[in-house]
């Protein structure tokens, strides 16, 4: 008679012990923030990542997508140690000349393209099989996916001030920045956010906001307060928008991280103090910054040998500046966009990448050194993965129906893309991924 209660008690204790670790393990599948570090499954999480904005497009069913290519892309990325992808999660139907078509958000009533959402379902399901994490951005300051200017046009009836037509960037940027303080645009934006963040994956049955494959929701791609020349009056709207929108996303997805997608000081009126101030919000879990040595006139691909040394010095200063901000805010930081053209600024496959390789290797060395020293540099996403994409267009400009590249539609296809046959670059990426994983 004494043995039965003992067995029952032992069984209850055993079940309780099993239940505890199972729930803990499930909780640990999500990337967390602990001070200036990412943590996954109780260990430091650092990553070598890529930008693959078109992932949901490849994942779409039928002729719209190319699931066979997507699987090939993911297999190759995994083989090279890439374990984090930054992906577009919302694009807007637009008359902007170079905007990608079709778009995820079909109109100002917030109707969504279900085929592209099914493409995201497929992408996330396949990434989960490969232990990859996703960073999903929900808007765009720039024109290539519709973005903020399209929201403004929907609710004002005014032109989008397309820079690919006018050649004028300051008016376009000022127009995009109106988005931050336009109530109708913000209401639609939040409706889109809610529909995407709370969506249930049709393949896995897991709600997006319960899916540990999604590391972070990102407010937008490269949100800026406005143009460098005239954007300062918009800064207060920008700062408030970051805090409140990040808070809204956290209310929908409390287990996942929130980031801004901002470029750093260069994307915040070239003012590091404003970048730091706008990212001090408790609703922003970690910092992002981008670095474009050619776009920002630090490097000239046509005069590479003469311009590269000073470009690299400036790049190091830029990285140091943002690491210092991360240390003050006690948050991790990620370089989530960086790249450079192929040698002499050509676009075609099978052309040399000497300066790109040098740049990638030096950036990776910088990250690894900071990681070994216990610093806040947690990872990177190079821009961008072109993979198996090909084009036969003489001008290299994308048209609907063409292969997707890492380069968005407003840029020459091949401008900054890393292709599947770029063996020297891929070797550098793989070595970096292995080096990061070896750091305890």
């Amino acid at each position: 008679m004494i043995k039965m209660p003992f067995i029952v008690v032992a069984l209850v204790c055993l079940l309780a012990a099993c239940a505890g670790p199972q729930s803990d393990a499930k909780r640990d599948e999500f990337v967390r923030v602990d001070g200036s570090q990412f943590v996954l499954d109780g260990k430091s999480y650092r990553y070598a990542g890529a930008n693959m904005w078109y992932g949901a497009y490849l994942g779409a069913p039928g002729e719209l997508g190319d699931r066979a290519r997507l699987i090939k892309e993911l297999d190759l990325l995994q083989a090279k140690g890439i374990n984090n992808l930054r992906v577009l999660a919302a694009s807007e139907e637009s008359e902007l000349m170079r905007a990608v078509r079709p778009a995820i958000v079909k109109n100002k009533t917030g109707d969504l393209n279900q085929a592209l959402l099914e493409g995201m379902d497929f992408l996330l399901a396949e990434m989960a099989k490969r232990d990859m994490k996703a960073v999903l951005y929900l808007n765009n300051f720039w024109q290539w996916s519709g973005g903020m200017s399209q929201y403004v046009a929907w609710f004002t009836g005014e032109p989008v001030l397309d820079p690919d037509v006018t050649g004028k960037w300051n008016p376009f940027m000022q127009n995009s920045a109106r988005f931050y303080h336009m109530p109708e645009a913000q209401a639609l934006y939040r409706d889109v956010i809610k529909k995407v963040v709370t969506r249930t994956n049709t393949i896995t049955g897991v709600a997006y906001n319960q899916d540990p494959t999604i590391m972070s929701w990102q407010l937008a791609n490269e949100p800026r307060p406005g143009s460098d020349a005239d954007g300062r009056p918009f800064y207060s709207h920008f700062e408030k928008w970051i805090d409140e929108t990040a808070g809204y996303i956290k209310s929908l997805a409390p287990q996942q991280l929130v980031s801004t997608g901002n470029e750093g000081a260069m994307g915040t009126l070239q003012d590091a103090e404003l970048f730091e101030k706008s990212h001090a919000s408790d609703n922003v879990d970690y910092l992002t910054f981008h670095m474009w040595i050619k776009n920002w006139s630090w490097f000239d691909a046509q005069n590479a040998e003469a311009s590269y040394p000073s470009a690299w010095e400036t790049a190091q200063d830029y990285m140091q500046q943002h690491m210092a901000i991360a240390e003050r805010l006690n948050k991790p930081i990620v370089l989530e966009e960086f790249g450079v053209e192929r040698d002499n600024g050509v676009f075609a496959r099978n052309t040399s990448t000497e300066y790109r390789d040098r740049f990638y290797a030096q950036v990776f060395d910088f990250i690894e050194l900071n990681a070994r020293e216990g610093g806040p540099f947690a990872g990177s996403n190079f821009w961008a993965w072109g993979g198996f994409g090909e084009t036969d267009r003489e001008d290299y400009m994308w048209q609907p129906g063409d292969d997707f590249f890492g380069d968005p539609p407003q840029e020459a296809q091949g401008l900054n893309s890393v292709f599947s046959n770029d063996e020297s670059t891929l070797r550098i990426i793989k070595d970096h991924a292995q080096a990061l994983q070896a750091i305890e």
Side-chain angles (χ1 to χ4, degrees):
M1 296 297 293
I2 296 175
K3 290 183 179 180
M4 279 301 293
F6 175 79
I7 292 171
V8 170
V9 170
L11 182 60
V12 169
C13 291
L14 178 63
L15 290 173
C18 291
Q22 283 179 346
S23 60
D24 288 347
K26 183 176 182 181
R27 200 161 52 245
D28 284 344
E29 292 175 359
F30 290 88
V31 177
R32 311 290 184 185
V33 167
D34 182 5
S36 64
Q37 306 292 314
F38 288 137
V39 176
L40 177 62
D41 195 25
K43 301 176 182 178
S44 293
Y45 173 68
R46 302 180 184 92
Y47 65 84
N51 278 273
M52 191 179 177
W53 68 265
Y54 54 93
Y57 283 76
L58 282 191
E63 294 183 359
L64 176 58
D66 189 342
R67 290 182 170 180
R69 177 187 163 193
L70 178 58
I71 288 172
K72 283 175 58 180
E73 302 286 11
L74 294 177
D75 285 344
L76 180 55
L77 287 165
Q78 182 186 33
K80 301 305 178 183
I82 297 297
N83 59 356
N84 186 291
L85 298 179
R86 183 169 176 260
V87 180
L88 176 74
S91 52
E92 293 72 37
E93 195 70 40
S94 177
E95 294 182 3
L96 285 153
M97 183 173 74
R98 294 294 183 188
V100 64
R101 295 176 176 81
I104 294 171
V105 185
K106 296 163 68 173
N107 48 48
K108 71 176 184 180
T109 63
D111 295 330
L112 304 185
N113 186 312
Q114 294 303 310
L116 289 174
L117 292 178
E118 290 176 21
M120 186 67 76
D121 294 346
F122 185 84
L123 172 69
L124 292 172
E126 291 297 319
M127 288 180 66
K129 294 176 185 177
R130 294 163 177 81
D131 294 323
M132 292 178 166
K133 299 296 183 184
V135 176
L136 303 182
Y137 50 100
L138 295 157
N139 207 322
N140 196 349
F141 188 75
W142 304 112
Q143 80 281 22
W144 58 265
S145 65
M148 296 178 185
S149 273
Q150 184 55 51
Y151 273 93
V152 173
W154 275 334
F155 294 103
T156 64
E158 298 172 8
V160 289
L161 304 180
D162 191 342
D164 291 307
V165 175
T166 66
K168 297 178 179 179
W169 286 93
N170 279 4
F172 168 79
M173 289 189 276
Q174 289 297 97
N175 191 51
S176 288
R178 296 166 68 189
F179 166 81
Y180 303 123
H181 60 104
M182 186 174 289
E184 302 92 340
Q186 291 304 308
L188 173 58
Y189 174 52
R190 289 199 176 200
D191 180 57
V192 171
I193 289 172
K194 185 173 183 180
K195 287 176 179 176
V196 175
V197 172
T198 63
R199 174 178 173 80
T200 296
N201 191 309
T202 57
I203 296 172
T204 66
V206 178
Y208 279 20
N209 59 0
Q210 299 294 319
D211 187 352
T213 306
I214 300 172
M215 168 182 140
S216 175
W217 295 102
Q218 204 158 81
L219 274 58
N221 177 57
E222 301 193 334
R224 292 185 171 195
S227 72
D228 291 344
D230 303 304
R232 199 161 288 267
F234 287 133
Y235 174 77
S236 62
H237 303 299
F238 174 74
E239 182 183 359
K240 181 180 180 183
W241 172 79
I242 285 178
D243 178 58
E244 293 182 353
T245 309
Y248 177 67
I249 296 172
K250 290 183 81 67
S251 74
L252 298 173
Q255 297 190 87
Q256 294 159 332
L257 305 180
V258 179
S259 50
T260 66
N262 182 258
E263 299 153 273
M266 289 293 286
T268 317
L269 307 174
Q270 299 190 31
D271 189 328
E273 290 184 8
L274 292 183
F275 168 72
E276 181 171 349
K277 188 168 180 281
S278 60
H279 287 72
S281 166
D282 290 340
N283 292 324
V284 176
D285 291 305
Y286 65 96
L287 308 185
T288 65
F289 75 115
H290 301 180
M291 187 165 65
W292 287 102
I293 62 172
K294 182 260 186 180
N295 295 9
W296 297 344
S297 301
W298 303 348
F299 173 68
D300 181 358
Q302 305 299 328
N303 191 22
E305 191 61 33
S307 62
Y308 186 82
S310 63
W312 175 239
E313 288 297 322
T314 305
Q316 291 179 86
D317 290 343
Y318 195 68
M319 289 189 285
Q320 290 282 8
Q321 178 186 49
H322 288 80
M323 282 196 311
I325 293 171
E327 288 169 353
R328 287 196 293 271
L329 295 180
N330 194 31
K331 296 182 181 185
I333 190 165
V334 173
L335 176 59
E336 62 171 22
E337 279 191 26
F338 67 100
V340 71
E341 297 177 24
R342 308 175 86 83
D343 295 338
N344 298 311
V346 299
F347 309 133
R349 281 177 170 270
N350 302 313
T351 52
S352 63
T353 57
E354 177 185 349
Y355 283 94
R356 175 185 293 173
D357 290 350
R358 186 190 300 188
F359 182 54
Y360 273 36
Q362 289 181 301
V363 168
F364 291 152
D365 285 347
F366 190 100
I367 294 171
E368 290 164 25
L369 176 60
N370 184 259
R372 283 193 292 270
E373 293 174 344
F377 222 141
S380 66
N381 300 78
F382 68 83
W383 186 283
W385 181 246
F388 295 93
E390 294 189 24
T391 184
D392 57 5
R393 296 192 181 278
E394 292 184 3
D395 64 358
Y396 290 91
M397 298 307 293
W398 184 85
Q399 297 292 333
D402 289 355
D403 282 359
F404 290 109
F405 282 55
D407 307 291
Q410 98 281 9
E411 294 180 339
Q413 303 297 280
L415 177 67
N416 293 300
S417 283
V418 175
F419 293 120
S420 57
N421 63 327
D422 283 333
E423 293 182 4
S424 59
T425 310
L426 292 175
R427 186 165 53 251
I428 291 167
I429 291 168
K430 185 174 183 179
D431 288 347
H432 171 59
Q434 291 174 339
L436 279 186
Q437 294 309 310
I439 298 171
E440 295 184 0

